[in-house]
Amino acid sequence: MAILADEANVSQEGKLNVMGIFDRIAAAEFPVMHPKMVFAFRVEAAHGDGGRGFPVNVELLDPEGTVLFQAGGEMMAPRVPAGEFTTSNQVFTLVGLQFPKAGLYRFVVTVGDAEPHETPFLVQSAANDPMMN
């Protein structure tokens, strides 16, 4: 699971709290600076994953595939009893991100050897957004 939102955090109990999920940004003109967005995602681990480390890479790509943001690291899966699973929530707060033009942008998350997960969103002219007219 991966989403874009106005705000997100992980509680002391490990719960992912999210407010203001969105999939498009409307701009009066370009380039446009978005004041704040949060990209949050959840990774699931099963019994066979327990005790292993997995490289994680997060990228924000523009319509041409140019990387606008990148973060990487490693996640260590805890021991998981057979027949059960566990989850880990990750939250990235991006402040003052600049979008040079309208188009389809996407966050791409890669965990270990798994297929990358893409979360697309539109950056569009406010004139083309029926909610803004």
Side-chain angles (χ1 to χ4, degrees):
M1 176 194 74
I3 53 156
L4 281 175
D6 293 327
E7 189 62 57
N9 64 55
V10 179
S11 73
Q12 288 181 335
E13 300 83 20
K15 296 177 184 176
L16 178 61
N17 300 302
V18 181
M19 290 178 45
I21 297 171
F22 63 90
D23 61 8
R24 63 195 64 226
I25 296 169
E29 58 186 40
F30 292 93
V32 64
M33 188 268 300
H34 195 70
K36 179 183 175 186
M37 70 168 52
V38 177
F39 178 63
F41 66 95
R42 171 178 274 193
V43 177
E44 184 177 297
H47 174 69
D49 301 322
R52 296 177 37 213
F54 296 91
V56 178
N57 189 56
V58 177
E59 295 180 330
L60 170 57
L61 305 176
D62 73 6
E64 282 76 39
T66 302
V67 176
L68 301 179
F69 166 82
Q70 182 175 27
E74 184 169 283
M75 297 178 78
M76 189 67 140
R79 299 275 178 211
V80 180
E84 294 186 22
F85 67 94
T86 188
T87 57
S88 175
N89 298 305
Q90 304 296 311
V91 175
F92 291 89
T93 301
L94 303 162
V95 176
L97 196 57
Q98 181 121 351
F99 295 98
K101 61 184 172 185
L104 183 66
Y105 291 75
R106 64 192 189 281
F107 280 96
V108 180
V109 177
T110 307
V111 178
D113 294 333
E115 283 291 316
H117 177 84
E118 294 193 9
T119 303
F121 64 100
L122 286 173
V123 177
Q124 63 189 39
S125 170
N128 296 336
D129 187 347
M131 300 298 286
M132 301 299 283
N133 293 325

